[in-house]
Amino acid sequence: MSIGFVAQAWAQQNKSISVTGEINSEIVLDWELISAHEVEEIGDFSITNHLGEPRGVLQSAKGVPITILLKDLVFNTPSPKQLSEFYFVFEAEDGYKVVFSWNELFNNPLGDKVYLVTFANGKPMEEMEDSILVISKTDIRTGRRHVKNLVKIHVKRVP
């Protein structure tokens, strides 16, 4: 890898996430806000493809559960009964997208294991090549919802 490539990758590194859509008001999660929350030990985390084949490992990872960062969202609905109609589209800078339902995140133990990674492989988030990284620790095929360089979370509602 040449020095020019490293400089180019660093310059394109994302530093914040916009949360938009079917919520009362847009919020922005930046490194400072994310880092202000208490982090949890994730440990070593294996990344596998859709066939379950190894693709990499995050070593000594730490992170903030996404539910902590999204807990104060006010959804555009008059009734909590309708929360089951909401879902979240996590979008990376390169356009890669993954989906979590409101129930997966806020009504299921899975939600407590979806992390924004703040430290991995000996580096803090600001120095990680993947920048703002989301993982779902309970997934079987972990690479399917492994989002590198997260830039947006779209809050949507089933029509």
Side-chain angles (χ1 to χ4, degrees):
M1 178 183 304
S2 72
I3 293 174
F5 178 75
V6 172
Q8 182 180 16
W10 180 260
Q12 294 175 355
Q13 191 176 43
N14 185 40
K15 294 177 174 50
S16 66
I17 308 161
S18 64
V19 183
T20 63
E22 295 293 321
I23 53 177
N24 191 31
S25 62
E26 177 179 337
I27 63 169
V28 175
L29 304 171
D30 61 16
W31 283 346
E32 188 176 325
L33 180 73
I34 295 165
S35 298
H37 288 81
E38 187 173 333
V39 299
E40 294 182 11
E41 297 284 336
I42 299 169
D44 293 349
F45 179 75
S46 296
I47 302 158
T48 61
N49 69 8
H50 64 288
L51 299 173
E53 300 165 337
R55 290 294 181 231
V57 176
L58 294 177
Q59 296 177 333
S60 303
K62 298 176 185 177
V64 177
I66 195 69
T67 53
I68 297 295
L69 297 166
L70 300 179
K71 70 180 172 67
D72 293 327
L73 290 180
V74 177
F75 295 86
N76 291 341
T77 181
S79 169
K81 284 181 165 183
Q82 296 171 338
L83 289 173
S84 293
E85 299 173 6
F86 288 85
Y87 61 98
F88 302 83
V89 180
F90 288 61
E91 184 176 348
E93 188 167 46
D94 67 0
Y96 183 72
K97 296 178 182 108
V98 300
V99 175
F100 291 93
S101 71
W102 180 90
N103 278 310
E104 282 180 295
L105 293 181
F106 295 101
N107 192 29
N108 188 303
L110 167 97
D112 295 332
K113 299 298 180 189
V114 177
Y115 292 98
L116 279 180
V117 177
T118 59
F119 184 90
N121 301 327
K123 296 180 181 180
M125 179 172 37
E126 305 88 66
E127 297 175 19
M128 290 173 24
E129 183 179 329
D130 295 339
S131 185
I132 299 177
L133 171 65
V134 173
I135 62 168
S136 178
K137 192 165 180 185
T138 60
D139 284 358
I140 295 168
R141 308 291 192 244
T142 57
R144 299 302 80 214
R145 291 201 280 198
H146 177 258
V147 183
K148 305 177 205 174
N149 212 9
L150 179 68
V151 292
K152 294 178 188 169
I153 300 174
H154 304 279
V155 181
K156 298 189 175 204
R157 187 173 180 182
V158 176

